[in-house]
């Protein structure tokens, strides 16, 4: 079945370490997104990409980096510069325009 | 994009219709109303969207008032699996990326 796969489901990081979250989609979608969700809050946009080899900052990009070398993949790196990385991270994709976004099941990142 | 206002929580009896309201009094002419839901610890799931006409699909119905300042998502026969947080979001035709997520309505479907 087509969908979006995020891995791992749970991730632990030591302070000062960078960590990369994986997001893969087989929906042939052009656009991909990364969101962060904190307890009891709505989603906030970190980065988005509308096409391969191009991406733009969202509302809270500081401390994060992304790449879009393949249409299917949009990995997110949480760097040591992100001071409060503990959160639920969600990846989404869409055909673009007004078409709805489809979400993965998220990665929960915690600091040891 | 304009903001939306939703009640923080609602209850519904299993088998009855769940009517979830959303206020978007500052909506502009090119903004669509989208509804998503999020079951605990999962990614959000798209439900339905519309501009000004009422819409229906296999999951729900969307009723938008004539002045477009509010809308209602209707789950016609709620089940326990419909227990989730429901988000009402506005999205403009000219803006691909921007979905402004509020706190949503936490719907509890009770047996």
């Amino acid at each position: 079945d087509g969908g979006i796969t995020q891995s791992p489901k749970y991730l632990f990081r030591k302070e000062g370490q960078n960590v990369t979250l994986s997001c893969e989609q087989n929906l042939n979608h052009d656009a991909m997104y990364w969101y962060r969700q904190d307890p009891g809050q709505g989603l906030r946009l970190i980065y988005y990409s509308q096409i391969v080899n191009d991406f733009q900052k969202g509302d809270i990009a500081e401390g994060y980096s992304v790449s879009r070398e393949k249409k299917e993949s949009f990995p997110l790196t949480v760097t040591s510069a992100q001071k409060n990385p503990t959160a639920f991270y969600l990846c989404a994709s869409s055909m673009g325009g007004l078409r709805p976004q489809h979400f993965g099941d998220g990665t929960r990142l915690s600091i040891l | 994009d304009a903001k939306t206002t939703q009640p923080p929580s609602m209850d519904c009896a299993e088998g009855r219709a769940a009517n979830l309201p959303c206020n978007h009094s500052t909506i502009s002419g090119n903004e669509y109303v989208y509804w998503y839901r999020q079951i605990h610890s999962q990614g959000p799931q798209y439900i339905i969207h519309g501009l000004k006409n009422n819409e229906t699909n296999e999951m729900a119905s969307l009723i938008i008032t004539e002045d477009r300042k509010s809308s209602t998502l209707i789950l016609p026969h709620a089940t326990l699996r419909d227990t989730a947080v429901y988000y009402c979001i506005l999205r403009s035709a000219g803006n691909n990326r921007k979905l402004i997520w509020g706190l949503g309505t936490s719907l509890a479907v009770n047996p």
Side-chain angles (χ1 to χ4, degrees), chain A residues 14-26:
Chain A
K14 293 182 180 178
E15 290 207 36
Q17 280 184 338
N18 293 352
V19 63
T20 298
L21 283 60
S22 170
C23 178
E24 303 279 331
Q25 55 100 359
N26 60 4

Side-chain angles (χ1 to χ4, degrees), chain B residues 53-104:
Chain B
N53 297 321
N54 297 337
E55 302 287 344
T56 295
N57 63 21
E58 64 279 4
M59 291 182 68
S61 295
L62 174 61
I63 308 298
I64 303 174
T65 58
E66 193 169 343
D67 63 8
R68 302 208 326 121
K69 293 185 177 182
S70 65
S71 60
T72 301
L73 179 74
I74 300 173
L75 308 178
H77 306 287
T79 71
L80 299 180
R81 287 178 292 183
D82 292 322
T83 293
V85 178
Y86 288 77
Y87 296 96
C88 169
I89 299 163
L90 302 185
R91 188 179 186 189
S92 66
N95 192 329
N96 178 46
R97 67 171 180 93
K98 199 74 168 180
L99 295 179
I100 299 177
W101 296 74
L103 299 181

Side-chain angles (χ1 to χ4, degrees), chain A residues 3-4 6 12 45 53 59 63 76 81 87 92 96 106 112:
Chain A
I4 300 176
Q6 290 189 242
F12 299 92
L45 183 65
N53 293 323
D59 300 317
L76 173 75
L112 293 178

